[in-house]
Amino acid sequence: MLNGFKDFILRGNVISMAIGLAVGAAFTAVVTGFSTAFITPLIGLATGSVGDFSTAEFSIEGAIFPYGKFLAAAIAFLITAAVLYFCVVVPMAKVQNRFTKAEEKKVDIKAALRDCPRCYTEIPAIASRCAHCTSEIKPDPEALAIAGLPAQR
């Protein structure tokens, strides 16, 4: 039983996930600190409340609603999401698109259509026989080249 647990823990993806979570928690702490130290006071000055608005609250019949804490947390979340998106997701998508080979991009070989010269129904451009009238026809060489198929004789 312990061997199975050891194998599970030593897998590369579990360790990578643990490192990612630790780095994410540290990053969240940095963003929360930045938001609390700079963004929240600036918004407080802009809205007329002096300094930090994270202590703002209202009460209804004795129940206190600290909406300032929610706004501070929402701002920290938005900053974290924006930084992760623009600094991690967008660059990784560009890297993945750069390394995707042209051959790996799928081409729909049935998308290019043409009319059968005998029965005038639509058939794929790479077809060598009409599905409707069963007459033999020559495939379109350009469609064969796009699909990566050899030219027929």
Side-chain angles (χ1 to χ4, degrees), residues 100-107:
T100 302
K101 295 180 182 177
E103 298 92 35
E104 292 178 3
K105 294 181 181 177
K106 293 187 177 184
V107 176

Side-chain angles (χ1 to χ4, degrees), residues 24 30 65 83 88 121:
V30 168
F65 296 92
V83 167
V88 177
T121 58

Side-chain angles (χ1 to χ4, degrees), residues 58-108:
F58 67 90
S59 63
I60 299 175
E61 296 182 16
I64 298 173
F65 296 92
Y67 69 91
K69 290 181 181 180
F70 170 74
L71 290 177
I75 291 169
F77 170 76
L78 289 175
I79 292 172
T80 303
V83 167
L84 288 176
Y85 179 75
F86 290 112
C87 294
V88 177
V89 174
V90 171
M92 285 303 296
K94 287 182 180 180
V95 168
Q96 285 178 343
N97 286 340
R98 184 174 293 160
F99 289 113
T100 302
K101 295 180 182 177
E103 298 92 35
E104 292 178 3
K105 294 181 181 177
K106 293 187 177 184
V107 176
D108 187 9

Side-chain angles (χ1 to χ4, degrees), residues 40-59:
T40 304
L42 287 174
I43 292 174
L45 288 173
T47 59
S49 63
V50 178
D52 186 9
F53 74 95
S54 65
T55 58
E57 58 186 28
F58 67 90
S59 63

